[in-house]
Amino acid sequence: LFFFTQTTAYALLRSLVGSEMCIRDSLKSFNNSVPVLQKRVIRALTFFVLLEALIGAVIVIYEWVGLNSSTPRIIAVPLHLINTFGLLGAYTLLFHLTKNSKTSLNNFFDKGFKIGLILFLLSGATGSIAALADVIFPSESFIMGLAEDFDSNSEILTRLRVLHPIVASFLSIYLYSEANRLQREYKVITKNIKLLVLLGVFLGVLNVVSNIILPLSILHLLIADLLWVLYVYKSAEKIN
């Protein structure tokens, strides 16, 4: 969605109107057979879907694309990715609720998940800024890029990209310990979370050392999205 909405502004505008109409009609068709909790998650999902299309359309309509490094774009791009996490999380939670017929979210938003959520959002936001900096102000090599990160004369985007590996490192360590906690306290199988954490770290380091390769960047983002979806799903398994 992040890459798609960067290049399809007018299609998104039509989709925005179409999505609103479809979702509105779907909400009207709800009946007593749909649990209240699922209705709430669907409404949250509706919000994220519409906001996703709206942010993407605004980014392209105002031409915050290409080599544009304006402040609005620096703000809009992280917001777009954060909203994508919200959308994916709502989809995942709804799937789990419909599959397991849960009627409450007890234990889901515990302290552990809230910390993970904050770290995920910060990692996504800083990651989108780093990716934007790599596209607009590419470095000639890994060593030169590292020097530019700490050069006071560098562009603000370039100096901000160092935040992502720092936040992502904290997230990776936390998720690994969180996976152990879920398995220890709730008997949730979390080996796939650990595997994706290690894979994400490996791809991130490889991409930076390789001086940013587009296919690696896309794969790194895909792994991050999969890790988020899996974390939400596994966290939902601890619901009473």
Side-chain angles (χ1 to χ4, degrees), residues 174-223:
Y174 180 78
L175 283 180
Y176 208 92
S177 64
E178 179 73 346
N180 289 330
R181 183 183 74 89
L182 291 175
Q183 187 168 350
R184 181 179 64 256
E185 296 183 7
Y186 299 99
K187 309 304 179 183
V188 176
I189 299 175
T190 57
K191 61 181 180 180
N192 289 336
I193 292 180
K194 297 178 182 179
L195 178 62
L196 286 180
V197 167
L198 295 176
L199 182 57
V201 171
F202 171 75
L203 290 174
V205 173
L206 179 62
N207 198 26
V208 171
V209 174
S210 302
N211 199 32
I212 311 303
I213 301 174
L214 182 57
L216 276 179
S217 297
I218 296 175
L219 183 58
H220 185 59
L221 176 59
L222 174 62
I223 295 300

Side-chain angles (χ1 to χ4, degrees), residues 105-117 119 172-191 193-194 197 231-240:
L105 290 178
N106 291 339
N107 295 333
F108 181 71
F109 289 105
D110 60 6
K111 182 179 179 180
F113 181 80
K114 290 176 181 177
I115 295 175
L117 171 62
L119 288 175
S172 299
I173 295 171
Y174 180 78
L175 283 180
Y176 208 92
S177 64
E178 179 73 346
N180 289 330
R181 183 183 74 89
L182 291 175
Q183 187 168 350
R184 181 179 64 256
E185 296 183 7
Y186 299 99
K187 309 304 179 183
V188 176
I189 299 175
T190 57
K191 61 181 180 180
I193 292 180
K194 297 178 182 179
V197 167
Y231 179 56
V232 172
Y233 190 85
K234 291 298 182 178
S235 294
E237 288 187 355
K238 66 180 187 286
I239 298 176
N240 292 332

Side-chain angles (χ1 to χ4, degrees), residues 126-179:
T126 56
S128 64
I129 292 175
L132 187 61
D134 291 330
V135 171
I136 299 178
F137 307 110
S139 302
E140 294 184 9
S141 67
F142 166 67
I143 299 300
M144 291 188 65
L146 188 61
E148 291 169 354
D149 290 345
F150 299 95
D151 187 346
S152 59
N153 294 320
S154 297
E155 296 288 341
I156 182 64
L157 269 176
T158 300
R159 284 179 282 151
L160 286 175
R161 66 185 178 185
V162 72
L163 293 176
H164 179 60
I166 296 174
V167 177
S169 295
F170 279 108
L171 173 62
S172 299
I173 295 171
Y174 180 78
L175 283 180
Y176 208 92
S177 64
E178 179 73 346

Side-chain angles (χ1 to χ4, degrees), residues 12-27:
L12 278 171
L13 283 176
R14 298 190 188 96
S15 298
L16 178 59
V17 177
S19 297
E20 189 278 332
M21 294 175 63
C22 291
I23 294 171
R24 181 187 59 194
D25 293 340
S26 297
L27 289 174

Side-chain angles (χ1 to χ4, degrees), residues 35 38 42 91-102:
Q38 291 184 25
I42 290 173
Y91 266 126
T92 304
L93 185 57
L94 180 61
F95 174 76
H96 185 274
L97 292 176
T98 54
K99 181 180 178 181
N100 297 277
S101 301
K102 300 292 180 65

Side-chain angles (χ1 to χ4, degrees), residues 61-80:
I61 289 173
Y62 285 94
E63 299 183 353
W64 299 337
V65 295
L67 299 180
N68 184 306
S69 59
S70 63
T71 299
R73 187 182 187 187
I74 296 176
I75 296 174
V77 170
L79 287 178
H80 197 190

